[in-house]
Amino acid sequence: MMGRRAVLGGAAAGVAAAAAAQEVSLRPGFADALLVVDVQNCFMPGGSLAVPRGDEVVPVINAIAGRFRIVVLTQDWHTPGHASFASAHPGKQPFEVVRLSYGNQVLWPDHCIQGTPGAEFHKDLHVPQAQLVLRKGYNPKIDSYSAFLEADRRTKTGLEAWLKAKGIKRVFCCGLATDFCVAWTALDARRLGFEAVVVEDACRAIDLDGSLAKAWAAMAKAGVERAQSAMLAA
Ligand code: VGL
Ligand code: ZN
């Protein structure tokens, strides 16, 4: 068997190294973090804002999380009567769109209210090594799909600085929902100078009026990579 040194010193070193790098480019390393987005009861089948087959992400995430040095869990964490809830807008129904101070806002059923069972992580999510639980959406007047920036696009959650302090250059995003919190998180990661990968089979979507196709298109345009969990195999 050819050792690493022999390969690097050989005539075909450049080609071999390039091929190897391609093959292992999705192998998590020191500068990679896994962002596990909103794997919470309200988004599970039977929950108040159920994502179809949302529970299927749990075993996939449990299986890949161990490959990462740094793991962050995000938790949608709304105040009662939050501005993103249809119930806070008389005469409005869930999934209608209204104009708030920062722009258009989809109105949702009440979900992920601070301290309630619906806001807890799925009971089978097993990622005890996660170093950070990042709560978002707690500003009563501002939603926050993204784990980096609230919906006013100005208020920072602090995640950018935290990840940069840990030496993170690339984030792998998974969880719920692909077309809202996962996509907004991946897109903001790109804007803030990170590489971003979405692990598709570790996500599920709401898919409201074509939102899933739109999200993938926006992510492709922004340079977000689309991967499958099997591609992270050690
Ligand atoms: C989410 C809608 C409202 C999500 C959160 O986690 O994708 N979607 N709040
Ligand atoms: Zn929410």
Side-chain angles (χ1 to χ4, degrees), residues 25-26 31-33 35 148 168-173 185-186 189-198 222-225:
S25 67
L26 285 174
D32 293 319
L35 307 184
F148 290 99
I168 299 303
K169 304 229 176 314
R170 180 168 66 169
V171 294
F172 286 66
C173 305
T185 295
R190 295 291 298 139
R191 286 186 192 107
L192 296 168
F194 297 95
E195 290 176 62
V197 181
V198 168
V224 175
E225 285 185 72

Side-chain angles (χ1 to χ4, degrees), residues 38 43 49 76 78 108 111 145 176-177 180-181 206:
D38 298 1
F43 299 121
L49 178 38
D76 212 33
H78 297 306
W108 304 104
H111 65 279
Y145 298 149
L176 305 172
F180 288 92
C181 292
I206 295 174

Side-chain angles (χ1 to χ4, degrees), residues 68-147:
F68 290 85
R69 179 178 71 94
I70 295 287
V71 180
V72 177
L73 307 179
T74 76
Q75 198 170 21
D76 212 33
W77 198 249
H78 297 306
T79 51
H82 191 263
S84 72
F85 295 170
S87 62
H89 302 265
K92 297 289 175 190
Q93 296 300 314
F95 311 109
E96 285 184 41
V97 178
V98 292
R99 188 115 196 122
L100 297 186
S101 60
Y102 50 79
N104 287 345
Q105 172 70 49
V106 180
L107 295 178
W108 304 104
D110 288 18
H111 65 279
C112 297
I113 296 175
Q114 298 172 359
T116 63
E120 286 168 18
F121 295 118
H122 188 289
K123 65 172 178 24
D124 297 329
L125 184 70
H126 186 69
V127 194
Q129 73 275 27
Q131 294 92 347
L132 178 65
V133 176
L134 192 281
R135 289 172 170 170
K136 61 182 181 62
Y138 47 71
N139 189 330
K141 299 256 184 289
I142 312 177
D143 204 1
S144 191
Y145 298 149
S146 163

